[in-house]
Amino acid sequence: MAKLYEAEASPEKRLFISLITRDISLIDAIIDLTDNSVNAAMKRSSNPFASTKDFERYLRATQRNPLAHIDVKISDRKISVTDNAGGIEFESARSDTFKFGHAADGADARDRLSVYGIGMKRAIFKIGNKVKIISDHEDGGFALDLDVAAWEKKPPPWHFDIAKRVAASRPKCGTEIEVTELYSEVKRRVADGIFIDALRDKLSRVYSFFLGRLITLSVNGKPISATHFDVGDRFAHDGFEAADVSVGITVGIARSVSDNYKAENAGWYVFCNGRTVIYADKTNLTGWTGGGGASLPIFQPKHRPFLGLVFFVSEDPEALPWSTTKGTLNEDSLVWQQAKRLMITLGKEVIGVLDKRYGDSGTEIDRSEMAELAGRPTNAFSTASSTKRSFKIERRTPPAETKISYKAKESDIQKVRKHLGKPAMTAPAVGRHTFEYFLENEIDA
Ligand SMILES: Nc1ncnc2c1ncn2[C@@H]1O[C@H](COP(=O)(O)OP(=O)(O)OP(=O)(O)O)[C@@H](O)[C@H]1O
Ligand SMILES: [Mg+2]
């Protein structure tokens, strides 16, 4: 056999950093850091978060007793994320935390939002050059001081220098990640006046299940509250289990607090292990294409009350159909394709009803009529593992009627008019009045 030589195939740090940071927005990078804090809080809960049923149960059982607080601070000098969710133990910091991707047996079986082993590293590389991490843990934590530019120049093998920290008491356990020497594009984004509000909005939507339940979160000291959305309790539901993933799909009519139907809130919402991945989608990603039988129509104003929710839950978060940035879906995933077919079938039930009621453009949607059609407001998450059911519309059929006509003496009719003090009352009105009097007093109808 011919002699084999080693051809250099090791990664260039500079290219590697550029590649992994290119396709993630600054907001999603910061949310990667908060995802890790939420994941740590989920691991502290006694609920295993392993099925749609567990999520539904958590909603019912927890009485506003969050297990961790996450504090995000943003300025044009520094971005930091601090939590008190338990911290990272020194040995895992050494062997797993800073690896780019988990080893086959490296991931913790209780991880729910930590999937690919890339998020934190990508986030800090995206934000700035100086990184400080302090993590306190019950069994001893670690500290890291990293200068990314200096690290880039070091030859392989790749490693970060970390120091050991002594064991801390449980209430003090948590992680602080601070990035300074922000890159110029990051500084500019942060200072553009809309960035912080956009981040707040996104956090409120992304963690609508967790906020106020498992975690509390603040940005620059201001608490973030969950985006609530309720669905009318006449929703349609179906679900299935596939390849370690349990899936629940609910479609109904939105019941917002104000009951104002805004197009921006309508559409499909997709959750992976309780974290919002897709929000109010009306594109062909979720089947709205108008392409005929195998899809939903193109979204029109009359569809504003439409609310569709897809819950994917798995103990193996890699089996879920999210992308590595968790901001979109892996459309090729088999479980997603299977879910999408069912979404279209269920979605058509609600769209069919809306289409029958309203014309094609400029539709005024009558709020009280829609509220009646929707049913009572129900927390959308509480429908995650409902039993299979269809979108029910109660048709109110008018009561059957029969005409009564009879002749009476004019003098008797006159007596009734006089008795009632209504001399101009017509003969049919006298007939109706006397009939109703009988119903009311003799039958109590
Ligand atoms: N705030 C935190 N609290 C506890 N553990 C943390 C925290 N941040 C990071 N970790 C640990 O570090 C690991 C690596 O985090 P990183 O975000 O890089 O990857 P990941 O979360 O495993 O996967 P993903 O690419 O999906 O984010 C996590 O799996 C988790 O064990
Ligand atoms: Mg992560």
Side-chain angles (χ1 to χ4, degrees), residues 52 56 234-240 247-252 309-311 342 346 349-350 380-392:
T52 48
E56 206 179 299
R234 287 210 185 107
F235 58 85
H237 185 92
D238 203 353
F240 61 92
V247 185
I249 301 174
T250 296
V251 192
L309 309 133
V310 193
F311 308 94
L342 193 53
L346 291 181
E349 292 186 18
V350 173
F381 292 111
S382 74
T383 70
S385 70
S386 297
T387 44
K388 182 174 158 78
R389 49 190 272 189
S390 303
F391 185 68
K392 286 194 205 82

Side-chain angles (χ1 to χ4, degrees), residues 32 36-37 40 43 83 87-88 96-97 102 111 113-121 175 326:
D32 246 321
N36 287 343
S37 305
K43 291 205 274 196
D83 70 55
I88 302 169
D96 179 63
T97 310
H102 295 291
D111 281 337
L113 305 187
S114 279
V115 190
Y116 305 101
I118 198 91
M120 181 203 0
K121 284 79 77 179
T175 304
K326 307 190 181 84

